[in-house]
Structure formats: C-alpha cells, structure tokens
C-alpha cells in the first residue's frame, strides 16, 4: 500500500464539506483484508512482540505464520489482518516502531503468490473412499496417511482453494483439520508503476 | 554563565562521551557479571542510580560496596518512586535516568513509572533483577515474567543471558532510551548471569539493523511547507514536548519570532516557548486558555511541532481546527495522521527541520490575526475570586513571583497540575515536569527528588518545587525521607483542600454533586507533622496574608526539604474547561456561566 495515500479522517471530511469540496461518495474507506510480510530478528520474543502489539492496540489478526529465512538471523512473519487504509497504515507504522522489526511489506496491492498448507483427516470407506480420492486428485492433493477407515490428505494452494477443498470434504465427515495459515511472496517482476 | 545555558548545555552534550574514558582500564579483564554491569553503567555516564536492593540483585549491591563505582546510588523507599525519580532526573537534565531494582515485586513496582515514561517519552533505563535462568518459569520466589509484564509499556526490553552480553545490551538500552522518540527500556538481569564470570568488552558502535532515527526532511517537503506558510493568514504553532526532547526550544523561539506566528503549547510543551512573550498563547486543550482554543478553531494553518494531538488537546477530533491545514513535524511516524490528518508531515527531528525551514520562510504580516487573538484574550481572561479566602491560584502566583520562573517545577496530577500549568508562566525548557499522558498521582514528589539529584549531579543551580494535591502527595510521601537524608532542598507545596479535587470537580459538574469517596477531611494526616517526622521543615498557611511569610521562610531553608501546606478552599474549580469528548468550541468558563461559547 502506498503509505502516503490520502485517507480522510472525520475531521478532514468536515473540513472538506465546510469548504464545499466534493467528498468521497462511499463514506469512510472500507475495511479490507491485507497480507503483511514482516522481517524480524530471529530472536526470542520478536514474534511475541509483534503479536502483542496487535492485541495491545486492538488490531485485527486473522492469521500469523512465522519461519526462518535464508538468513538464519532473520525470521519472516506473514500476517493477515483487516482494516481500512488508516488502520492498515497505523499497523505498518506500529510494526516499524518495534525494535526487532527489520522491514515491513504490505504485499496486498502488489503482484504476489500466496500458499496455505492444509492437512485433513476424512472418515471414509468403500465407495466413499474412491470419491474422496477423486476430489483429492482434482485438487492435486496428496495422501499422507491411510488406515482402513481414515484417509489423511495434504493440500497446498491459495487460501480460497483450501477453503473449497475443506468445504467439499465436510459432506464426507471430517475428523480433523490442521491449516498452516497463509504465506505470501511478491513476484520478482512487478508490473510497471506498482509500489512495494 | 547563567544557569539556563548550563541546563541547555548539559542536555545537548552526549552522555556517552563522558563515560567512555572511565572504563578503558577494565576492557578485556575478567570479572563477575555484577561488576561488568557496574562498569557498563559507568560507561554510560549514569551519574545517579535510583535503586532498591533485594535478593536477585544482591550481588550487584555487593560489588557496589567493593568496587565503588563513580556513580551515586540513591536508596529510594519504593521502586515506583525510583522510576519517577529517574524520570525527573531525565526531564530536568536531558540525560537518561537509571533505575535498579530486584525481581518480582521490585520489578512490578516499577511498572507504573515505566508506563508513565512510555506515555510521556521520557528516557529511562530500568534494570530489574531476575531469578536464576534455570528457575525461570518455575514460579520461583520473587519471580515475575518481567519481559511479559513490561512488553507493551517499553520502547524495548531485554533479558540478559550471558555476562559477556551485559555491556552491549546496556549500551543499546541507553541508545534506545535516548534517541528518536525517547522512552523507557527494561533490562532483566538473572541472578546467575550476575554471579557468573565474564570478560568486560566494550564496543562503542551500535549494531541494530531494525532501529534507526527517521529523517524525512527533503526539498519537496520544505518547499510545500514554505508555500503553506506563505498562503496562510491565520497561522498558529502548536508546540509539544518533543520540542524540548529535541533541545529545540531556542530554535523554535527564534523561528516563531522570525515568522511572527503565535505559539500555543501542550502541557508537555510548556517551557519550550517563553510564556511572557507577546506571541505566547499559553496552553491549549481541556484546561487550556480560552483564547488559545479559539485561535485553534479559527486558524487556517497549524504547525504542530513535536506534538501528538492527544485527546486532552483536541477534545472531539471531528470538530478540532476545522479550517486549518496541518503541518506535522514529529519524530514518531506512528503519531502522524493518527488522530488528526496531517496535510504535510516531516517524520524527522524537530530541531533539524526548524533549522532548515527557518531561512526559507519570510516573516508573516498577520496583524489582524494577532488582533483577533488579543480580543479573545480580553474577552475571557484567566481569573479567580479575590474574596479573602485562600485560593490555590493565589499561592501559585506568589510562588511564581518568588521563583521568577527560574525554578524546576514538578507537578502532580489533577487540579494542582492544571492550575500550575495555567498560572506559573514557564519561560525555560526543562523547568516543567509533570505526568501528562498516564496521569500518575504521586508523580510530583519523587520526580522532584530525581530532578534535585540531576541538577546537583550536573552542577545546575536551580530551585526545585514540587506541587501536590493532598490526594497525590500521599501516594509517594515516603520519598520525603530520601530527600531529607540527602539534604535535597525541595520546596514541597501541598494544596490541601481535603478533597480529591479534580474528581470532585467532575462530580459537581457532571454527577449532580454526588461526592462519592472524594472527601478526605477525616482521613488526611496532619501534613506538617508528617513532614517533620520525615525530617523535613514544615510550614502551614491558612489565610492569604500568611502566604508570603511561608514562602519567604521556606526559601531560606536550604539544607533540607521544606513542606508548605496551604489550606485552600475545597470548592475551587479549574476553568476554563472543555468537558471530555466535547469540541474545543464548547468551553465552560466558570461554575456560574455554564453556557458555551461557539
């Protein structure tokens, strides 16, 4: 997101109205989901500090993933959050304010690839079983564990694909679901004019 | 050299340069973690350490007796007092304040002071003892998760895991506390790390890739600022505490004079611009000057300098400064466009921006605007009743006359704080110390104690006045004994109205006179006896004609603190006032005239 993007406070809206200037028709900016990548020191407490900031300041936190990067002293966190432009800009600034934070990228407005991993145990026998395996095939999932009445499947993809797969499996009796949360990475070649 | 320039000079000298030489002799030597810690403090030129011993830090105190480091340790009588003292020390001198306490209750007692320093951007470093590393998480005796408890109220915090890390972490802690937007840093020291042997190493460089001080002040921004200033007809400078933290008071005063722009300050901005200057409008906001709020509401340009648009300043944000474009100069990016949208922002050091902007702008011709402000001044001046009763405003005017504005004043929280802000007419930076953001009752006395030690440590000759209400005074009254023990000649003022006055005021104005649990008439101690029992001199005035005599006597006592109790009328209220959540247009100007000015 462009941090300098003009977002209006109520005070500014009133000022604009007083001056007879046109005000955005849709009212205040809408809440939107954002994926924010944060590079932090790979040290004790960096993850907690980031998560703690979200709860202390009342920001939304939909999912968090964390893992070490190619540099073993740096961890990458992928945070999924929601808010209007003002809130997101405040989140980015508060993240930057933390001493352990090395860099913050809001990848939402850019060209990026996202993946989520999901493992799912489905109770199925007989004809059901081949149906589940077929759906698994369509979604390019893998079977990771088999017992006479349980299939454990692994599926990787964008969150929407994982959602769709989990929904399809509901009719077959889900025993257990484990989802990793989203990770996102910007494409190396960004379309002209886009900003990180 | 005048005492003012001494104070300014002290604040601008990097603390670090002085301490570095003192520790050269220890580099590469083997010693205990506790001794490494002491030398690390010496390296930072921590001249005064406010502390309280306990089991987890007993080895530090033991080494202190053996090594005799070059700083003074002040034994406070409650750890909260210690943190406020460090704040007072920091705000009076511009240097980082230091606190040393034990684990568990020692650490949790510092929490209020740490939160206070976080809200008010005060550079302090708090060292807390911790149980030995193998016991952490075991619910050991006097164990608290200090990092967890202080995480959201510190700029940063550390757990030290090896004695060899101590000098680096101490150095980073002072660097973080001092630079950028200042704030508190906590360093947790496990007992076994202090006992273990390590090597004292010392690296002057700071290696922190996640931390840098912003400097967003470029040609384009400066050019836009110049255009906005040139275009404006009703410009106003709104100055906050960041200006004082940036040691920019002089630069700002020169800037305002050069441009001929009126100046209003927040509570923490008091002293950044001399209030006896014709361009000064005094404080704005909830209990600010009526004319200052009027100026805000009519301004077409507000230049906010080192200020964060606190809700006590803006009231209802939607209706604050409806006609003004905003230029915001602020070191902390997260404060920009947080409450009030900034049309132009400099995320940089106040002093450097003002210095770069100053030669680019021409003086403004704003006679009509200044006349408007003068009219508002005449329309609703600051007054109180003159009816033979002893009123706190009268006492403050007498104190101001006696000190001549050259004293460091620490105020508590509540009515006494607001009256002091209104009536003391501050003219120098670092002479007004208060708890603004957190609003910590019991702040004034220990802060004054710390300021007294700070001024003494840096050879600045100024009187320190502590202004208290009877409620707040009781919250840290134990520190009187410390001031007495060290002969710090504090002038401690208690405005005793036998009430929790500010709450009483709200109860009268907004809760139909139900004075629920605010009347202290039968529960207050005899303050004169309390002071004497703490080895302080004590005086009392009950009528206006006794005030001069009490002040004269108090100013003659210079070897110990003196407590002055003023028995003021209990019904006095702080006016004018913007009720919480209302717009700055809706100021109540007196009890009997609750109509609002629009």
């Amino acid at each position: 997101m462009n941090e300098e993007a003009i977002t209006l406070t109520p005070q500014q809206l009133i000022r604009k109205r007083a001056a007879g200037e046109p005000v955005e028709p849709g009212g205040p900016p809408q809440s939107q989901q954002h994926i924010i990548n944060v590079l932090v020191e790979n040290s004790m407490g960096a993850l907690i500090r980031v998560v703690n900031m979200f709860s202390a300041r009342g920001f939304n936190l939909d999912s968090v993933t964390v893992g070490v990067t190619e540099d073993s002293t740096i961890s990458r966190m992928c945070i999924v959050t929601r808010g209007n432009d003002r809130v997101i800009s405040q989140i980015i600034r508060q993240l930057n304010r933390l001493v352990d934070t090395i860099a913050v990228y809001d990848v939402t407005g850019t060209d990026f690839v996202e993946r989520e991993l999901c493992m799912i145990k489905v109770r199925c026998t007989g004809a059901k079983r081949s149906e589940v395996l077929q759906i698994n095939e369509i979604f390019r999932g893998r079977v990771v564990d088999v017992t006479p009445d349980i299939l454990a499947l692994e599926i990787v993809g964008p969150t929407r694909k994982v959602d769709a797969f989990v929904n399809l499996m509901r009719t077959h009796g889900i025993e257990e679901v484990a989802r990793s949360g989203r990770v996102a990475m910007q494409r190396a070649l960004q379309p002209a004019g886009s900003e990180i | 050299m005048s005492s003012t320039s001494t104070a300014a000079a002290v604040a601008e000298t990097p603390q670090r340069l002085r301490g570095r030489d003192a520790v050269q002799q220890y580099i590469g030597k083997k010693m205990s973690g506790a001794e490494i810690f002491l030398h690390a403090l010496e390296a930072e030129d921590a001249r005064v350490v406010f502390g309280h011993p306990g089991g987890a830090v007993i080895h530090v105190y033991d080494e202190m007796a053996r090594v005799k480091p070059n700083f003074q340790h002040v034994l406070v009588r409650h750890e909260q007092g210690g943190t406020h003292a460090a704040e007072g020390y920091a705000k009076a001198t511009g240097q980082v304040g230091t606190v040393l306490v034990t684990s568990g209750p020692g650490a949790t007692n510092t929490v209020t002071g740490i939160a206070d320093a976080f809200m008010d951007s005060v550079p302090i470093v708090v060292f807390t003892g911790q149980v030995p590393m193998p016991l952490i998480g075991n619910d050991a005796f006097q164990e608290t998760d200090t990092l967890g408890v202080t995480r959201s109220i510190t700029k940063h915090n550390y757990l030290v895991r090896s004695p060899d890390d101590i000098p680096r972490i101490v150095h980073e802690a002072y660097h973080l506390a001092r630079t950028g937007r200042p704030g508190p840093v906590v360093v947790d020291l496990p007992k076994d790390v202090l006992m273990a042997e390590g090597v004292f190493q010392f690296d002057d460089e700071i290696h922190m890739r996640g931390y840098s001080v912003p400097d967003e002040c470029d040609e384009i921004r400066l050019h836009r600022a110049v255009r906005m200033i040139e275009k404006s007809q009703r410009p106003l400078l709104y100055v906050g505490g960041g200006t004082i933290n940036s040691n920019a008071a002089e630069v700002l005063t020169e800037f305002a004079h050069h441009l001929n722009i009126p100046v209003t300050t927040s509570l923490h901005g008091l002293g950044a611009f001399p209030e006896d200057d014709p361009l000064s409008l005094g404080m704005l906001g909830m209990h600010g000057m009526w004319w200052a709020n009027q100026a805000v509401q009519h301004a077409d340009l507000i230049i906010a300098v080192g200020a964060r648009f606190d809700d006590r300043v803006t009231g209802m944000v939607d209706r604050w400064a409806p006609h003004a474009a905003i230029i915001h100069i602020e070191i902390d990016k997260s404060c920009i466009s947080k409450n009030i949208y900034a049309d132009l922002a400099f995320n940089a050091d106040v002093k450097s921006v003002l210095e770069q902007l100053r030669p680019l702008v021409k003086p403004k011709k704003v006679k009509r605007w200044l006349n408007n402000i003068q009219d508002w001044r005449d329309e609703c001046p600051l007054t109180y009743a003159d009816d033979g009763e002893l009123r706190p405003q009268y006492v403050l005017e007498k104190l101001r006359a006696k000190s001549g504005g050259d004293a460091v004043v620490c105020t508590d929280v509540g009515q006494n704080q607001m009256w002091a802000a209104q009536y003391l007419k501050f003219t120098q930076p670092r002479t007004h110390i208060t708890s603004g953001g957190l609003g910590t009752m019991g702040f004034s006395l220990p802060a004054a104690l710390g300021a007294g030690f700070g001024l003494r440590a840096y050879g600045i000759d100024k009187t320190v006045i502590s202004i208290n209400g009877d409620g707040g005074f009781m919250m840290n009254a134990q520190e009187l004994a410390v001031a007495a023990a060290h002969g710090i000649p504090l002038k401690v003022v208690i405005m005793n109205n036998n009430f929790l006055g500010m709450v009483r005021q709200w109860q009268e104005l907004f809760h139909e006179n139900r004075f629920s649990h605010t009347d202290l008439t039968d529960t207050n101690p005899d303050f004169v006896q309390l002071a004497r029992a703490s080895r302080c001199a004590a005086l009392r005035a009950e009528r206006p004609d006794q005030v001069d005599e009490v002040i004269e006597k108090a100013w003659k006592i210079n070897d110990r603190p003196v407590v002055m109790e003023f028995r003021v009328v209990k019904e006095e209220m702080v006016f004018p006032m913007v009720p919480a959540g209302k717009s700055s247009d809706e100021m109540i100007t007196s009890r009997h005239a609750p109509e609002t000015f629009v």
Side-chain angles (χ1 to χ4, degrees):
Chain A
M1 190 190 74
N2 180 2
E3 266 206 68
E4 300 293 331
I6 293 179
T7 52
L8 300 178
T9 62
Q11 166 235 14
Q12 180 128 32
L13 283 172
I14 284 175
R15 249 197 272 157
K16 275 191 170 268
R17 280 196 205 104
E21 288 172 40
V23 179
E24 283 177 287
Q30 292 298 303
S31 182
Q32 222 197 333
Q33 195 170 63
H34 281 249
I35 303 179
I36 298 171
N37 277 345
V38 190
L39 297 183
V40 295
E41 294 287 345
N42 184 14
S43 69
M44 187 192 70
L47 164 71
I48 299 168
R49 246 180 262 277
V50 168
V51 174
N52 187 71
M53 190 279 288
F54 274 79
S55 83
R57 295 191 180 267
F59 296 135
N60 251 302
L61 195 53
D62 290 351
S63 87
V64 184
T65 60
V66 62
V68 70
T69 63
E70 73 282 4
D71 177 343
S72 65
T73 65
I74 297 178
S75 293
R76 176 194 288 265
M77 296 179 71
C78 183
I79 293 170
V80 182
T81 181
R82 267 171 296 130
N84 62 33
D85 286 357
R86 285 192 63 218
V87 171
I88 297 296
S89 143
Q90 190 53 215
I91 288 173
I92 291 169
R93 287 167 184 203
Q94 292 293 351
L95 284 169
N96 268 313
R97 204 177 165 204
L98 300 172
V99 172
D100 284 334
T101 306
I102 297 162
V104 182
Y105 309 98
D106 183 359
V107 301
T108 311
T110 68
D111 193 2
F112 67 95
V113 196
E114 64 152 302
R115 289 290 179 271
E116 184 172 356
L117 183 141
C118 173
M119 290 195 284
I120 184 164
K121 272 188 201 148
V122 188
R123 181 170 294 277
C124 51
T125 45
K128 281 267 181 197
R129 176 165 280 220
S130 56
E131 198 181 324
V132 166
L133 283 169
Q134 256 175 19
I135 296 171
N136 187 48
E137 190 69 21
I138 294 167
F139 278 81
R140 295 192 182 84
R142 299 199 316 163
V143 179
V144 287
D145 189 31
V146 190
T147 63
D149 49 358
I150 297 263
L151 270 177
L153 308 169
E154 169 208 288
I155 177 151
V156 176
T159 295
R160 281 171 59 193
K161 174 178 164 186
V162 175
D163 284 345
F165 184 75
V166 173
N167 275 335
L168 279 171
M169 285 301 133
R170 272 186 214 288
T171 50
H172 298 282
I174 295 174
E175 282 287 302
E176 207 178 340
V177 171
R179 295 176 68 153
S180 67
R182 290 152 94 167
V183 290
M185 188 177 256
Q186 283 167 288
R187 290 186 194 276
L189 196 62
Q190 288 291 312
S194 70
E195 260 188 272
I196 294 168
Chain B
M1 199 168 23
S2 78
S3 56
T4 330
S5 60
T6 315
V10 164
E12 287 186 50
T13 317
Q15 202 162 359
R16 186 74 188 154
L17 293 176
R18 294 184 297 257
R20 206 163 26 188
D21 297 337
V23 297
Q24 291 298 329
Q25 52 180 313
Y26 306 115
I27 290 176
K29 296 228 168 84
K30 273 191 174 179
M31 56 185 83
S32 71
E35 190 181 348
I36 293 177
F37 169 66
L38 295 179
H39 297 318
L41 289 186
E42 289 180 318
E44 301 302 324
D45 193 31
R47 298 194 178 184
V48 182
V49 174
F50 301 95
H52 200 287
V57 287
I58 196 165
H59 287 86
V60 176
Y61 279 86
D62 191 41
E63 292 287 23
M64 224 184 270
R66 195 179 63 79
V67 176
K68 300 198 170 44
N70 66 12
F71 57 78
Q72 180 183 13
H73 178 270
V74 176
L75 177 65
V76 291
R77 305 312 293 272
H78 188 287
E79 291 89 346
Q80 185 193 348
T83 44
H84 293 325
E87 287 184 273
Y89 174 95
K91 293 202 92 175
T93 64
Q95 308 293 325
V96 180
T98 310
V99 182
L100 170 61
V101 299
T102 192
S103 63
T108 55
N109 278 346
T110 62
V111 165
T112 304
I114 294 168
D116 192 274
F118 190 59
M119 291 285 269
D120 285 349
S121 317
V122 189
I124 64 170
V125 180
V126 179
F127 296 98
T128 54
Q130 184 55 277
V131 299
M133 297 266 285
L135 287 183
I136 288 180
N138 258 358
D139 298 327
F141 177 65
Q142 291 194 329
E143 182 190 352
T144 301
D145 173 18
T146 307
L147 289 194
V149 169
T150 60
R151 192 172 291 121
S152 53
I153 52 168
T154 48
K155 195 167 168 184
H156 198 56
N157 58 16
Y158 292 91
L159 174 70
V160 182
R161 292 159 164 267
S162 149
D164 295 340
D165 288 342
I166 292 174
R168 173 183 63 81
I169 289 177
V170 170
H171 189 29
E172 286 182 4
Y174 277 78
H175 177 77
L176 284 171
R178 185 193 312 118
T179 56
R181 179 179 178 181
V185 180
V186 165
V187 180
D188 206 21
L189 299 158
K191 185 170 181 170
D192 54 337
V193 173
L194 293 169
M195 291 166 71
E197 195 175 69
V199 178
F200 183 83
Q201 285 300 352
F202 184 72
D203 183 0
D204 216 21
E205 294 287 305
I206 295 278
H207 307 280
M208 298 174 82
R209 55 189 163 181
Y211 179 77
S212 62
V213 179
D215 185 21
E216 283 181 10
C217 177
D218 48 42
E219 292 282 311
I220 297 167
R221 284 189 171 84
L222 287 167
H223 184 67
R224 279 186 64 196
V226 170
R227 274 213 325 246
M228 286 169 80
I229 293 169
E230 274 171 1
K231 218 178 76 184
S232 74
Q233 290 169 338
R234 300 184 303 281
L236 179 67
L237 276 157
Y238 152 45
V239 173
T243 312
I244 295 170
N245 285 340
S246 161
N247 295 316
E250 224 171 291
V251 176
L252 170 94
T253 306
E254 216 268 313
F255 183 82
H257 282 156
H258 170 69
L259 259 78
N260 196 30
I261 295 184
V263 180
T264 181
T265 68
S266 69
L267 181 63
H268 279 308
L270 290 172
F273 187 76
E275 285 195 84
D276 50 9
D277 191 291
L279 284 174
S280 169
L281 308 186
M283 185 171 77
L284 82 168
M286 180 177 271
H287 288 295
M289 303 300 122
W290 189 71
W291 55 86
N293 283 340
Q294 285 298 95
V296 165
Q297 294 305 85
H298 289 86
D300 65 354
L301 174 68
I302 289 179
I303 308 173
V305 184
R308 65 180 177 93
F309 299 93
D310 181 78
D311 59 72
R312 287 297 188 262
V313 162
T314 61
M316 192 197 285
V317 283
D318 312 13
R319 286 174 58 187
W320 194 78
H323 312 290
I326 309 276
I327 300 176
H328 196 179
I329 308 173
E330 166 62 49
I331 193 85
D332 180 358
K333 194 162 195 173
S334 70
C335 285
I336 294 171
S337 294
K338 183 173 71 179
N339 298 335
I340 297 285
Y341 177 80
D343 299 279
L344 172 63
F346 292 89
N347 180 212
D349 178 52
V350 164
K351 191 177 184 178
S352 105
V353 175
L354 290 179
E355 277 171 347
Q356 291 177 65
L357 197 51
R358 156 78 176 73
L360 304 177
V361 281
K362 290 194 284 291
K364 297 285 300 174
K365 294 197 178 68
V366 286
K367 195 138 195 281
R368 258 181 70 191
W369 172 232
L370 294 177
N371 284 343
N372 282 346
I373 292 172
Q374 187 56 47
D375 290 345
W376 290 320
R377 247 185 229 274
D378 299 339
E379 194 177 331
C380 188
L382 201 57
T383 57
Y384 60 94
D386 177 18
D387 55 0
E389 301 271 9
L390 181 53
R391 294 188 191 272
Q393 297 98 323
Y394 175 79
V395 176
L396 288 163
E397 286 186 336
K398 289 292 178 188
L399 284 167
R400 176 63 171 78
K402 181 67 197 172
S403 69
D406 195 38
V408 173
V409 180
C410 299
T411 65
D412 214 70
V413 169
Q415 288 185 313
N416 70 87
Q417 179 186 32
M418 291 298 113
W419 283 317
Q422 292 177 336
Y423 285 88
L424 286 179
K425 306 291 169 225
F426 295 91
T427 54
Q428 301 166 21
R430 304 196 182 282
T431 57
H432 176 249
I433 299 173
T434 195
S435 167
L438 196 67
T440 311
M441 282 171 73
F443 172 85
S444 171
L445 180 64
L449 174 77
F453 275 105
L455 298 184
R456 188 189 267 184
Y458 286 92
I460 303 166
D461 181 26
K462 274 192 198 303
T463 308
V464 182
I465 305 173
S466 162
I467 294 186
N468 301 270
D470 48 308
F473 178 79
M474 288 301 288
M475 288 200 183
N476 269 317
Q478 77 283 349
E479 305 305 336
L480 263 188
V482 182
H486 292 270
I488 302 285
L490 303 178
K491 312 294 180 218
V492 182
V493 174
I494 304 175
M495 300 285 189
N496 183 5
N497 63 356
N498 279 320
F499 248 103
L500 298 171
M502 188 58 96
V503 184
R504 189 203 164 281
Q505 173 164 345
W506 285 44
Q507 287 172 335
E508 180 178 330
L509 290 171
F510 313 119
H511 298 274
E512 293 157 351
N513 291 325
R514 285 185 297 276
F515 299 123
S516 180
H517 297 273
T518 44
D519 189 345
L520 304 176
T521 314
D522 301 321
T523 53
N524 266 339
D526 179 326
F527 289 108
V528 166
Q529 281 195 47
L530 178 71
R532 290 195 179 134
S534 310
R535 304 176 204 206
C536 300
L539 302 157
R540 176 183 287 147
E542 300 185 25
R543 298 191 311 272
D545 57 14
Q546 297 170 326
V547 171
D548 275 325
E549 193 193 334
V550 162
I551 291 177
E552 280 307 320
K553 272 190 190 163
W555 252 254
K556 290 206 177 75
I557 300 168
N558 282 316
D559 58 343
R560 66 208 143 118
V562 50
V563 175
M564 291 164 268
E565 183 195 0
F566 296 97
R567 291 273 181 94
V568 296
V569 294
K570 67 173 179 225
E571 295 87 2
E572 194 61 33
M573 296 216 264
V574 185
F575 287 118
M577 176 183 193
V578 181
K582 296 276 186 169
S583 152
S584 296
D585 294 319
E586 302 171 81
M587 277 202 112
I588 308 174
T589 52
S590 82
R591 173 187 274 132
H592 306 296
E595 77 271 16
T596 56
F597 289 77
V598 179

